[in-house]
Structure formats: C-alpha cells, structure tokens
Amino acid sequence: MKAPWKLTRYLPLAARFLREGRLPELLRALGDKRTPQGQRFAALKEDLQLLRALSLAWFKGEYRQISNQALLMVVAALLYFITPFDAIPDWLVGVGFVDDLAVLAWVMRTWHGELEAFKAWRDKQSPERLALIEHLPNAERVDPLHS
C-alpha cells in the first residue's frame, strides 16, 4: 500500500533524525504535545505510546527486529503528528487531528505485523526492564561557547 503523500514529505527529516541520533528529541516533543481528550481518542494515545516505546527500544539497541522502512515510517508519522502545521493545522478545533489520525492509522495498519511482533517482545520483558528501556534519556545540555 502506498504511503500517504503528506507522510512521504517527512521521510527525509525522519531519516535525518535517525542518522543523527535525534530520536530522544522527537520523543520529548511528542510528550509535550497535547492530544485531544475523550474516549474517541483513547486508541490514538495507545498507538502513540506503542510507537514511542518501539522508538525508544530501537534507539537504545534493545529491539532491532524491525525493518528499516517500517522504522522510518514510524518516525515520519511521529514527526507528522507533532508538527502543528501539517495538511490540516492542529489548532482547527474538531478537525485539526483528522489528518494526524489518518497517518497514524495508515502506519498501524501497514506495519501491523511488525508492530505486533514488537508488542509480543515487549510483553515478555519484566516491568523493571521495561522501565529502563522506556525511560527517555535526559536532554543533553549544550554549552554554546564550547560547541
């Protein structure tokens, strides 16, 4: 199935985030993004949590059984989600998240097998191990005078 055109625009940026080790930066921004409240959006939050957990496990080298293409699409979808000015701006009340939901649904459907494999792997981890894997590293402070 062909990727949504609006998502493909984010693939070069996703590749750069992966190549430059900037995934924690993206995941921090994801944590800062306000998501719609209510029962209708419960699945959205679950999907985002799964993609966040997968991204962190991959970043930390704990889970690498995902294809490069699937990982790239996951990161692109997260970038698309945190961008407020995408196909439908998020500030448009009632409709702003429609395109975000469509992109996430496409990723969840297209990469279902790989995401299910990650869930199975994740379910086998102890709670203590998961807490370590899914802990977002602290942001590095950069000294502008010495960078």
Side-chain angles (χ1 to χ4, degrees), residues 41-81:
F41 296 102
L44 167 69
K45 289 180 182 187
E46 288 176 24
D47 292 347
L48 287 171
Q49 288 172 349
L50 177 69
L51 299 180
R52 179 190 183 277
L54 169 62
S55 298
L56 263 175
W58 182 89
F59 179 77
K60 291 183 174 184
E62 297 290 335
Y63 186 83
R64 295 293 174 111
Q65 293 79 31
I66 184 169
S67 71
N68 290 337
Q69 187 178 13
L71 180 64
L72 188 62
M73 287 294 182
V74 164
V75 173
L78 293 175
L79 283 164
Y80 188 89
F81 181 78

Side-chain angles (χ1 to χ4, degrees), residues 58-123:
W58 182 89
F59 179 77
K60 291 183 174 184
E62 297 290 335
Y63 186 83
R64 295 293 174 111
Q65 293 79 31
I66 184 169
S67 71
N68 290 337
Q69 187 178 13
L71 180 64
L72 188 62
M73 287 294 182
V74 164
V75 173
L78 293 175
L79 283 164
Y80 188 89
F81 181 78
I82 67 163
T83 304
F85 299 106
D86 42 37
I88 302 174
D90 294 347
W91 52 265
L92 291 174
V93 179
V95 296
F97 282 96
V98 170
D99 60 323
D100 296 348
L101 290 170
V103 164
L104 287 171
W106 181 86
V107 167
M108 299 303 289
R109 186 175 54 253
T110 302
W111 303 106
H112 178 76
E114 296 210 41
L115 295 172
E116 286 299 315
F118 172 71
K119 279 187 206 176
W121 174 85
R122 189 172 178 243
D123 289 345

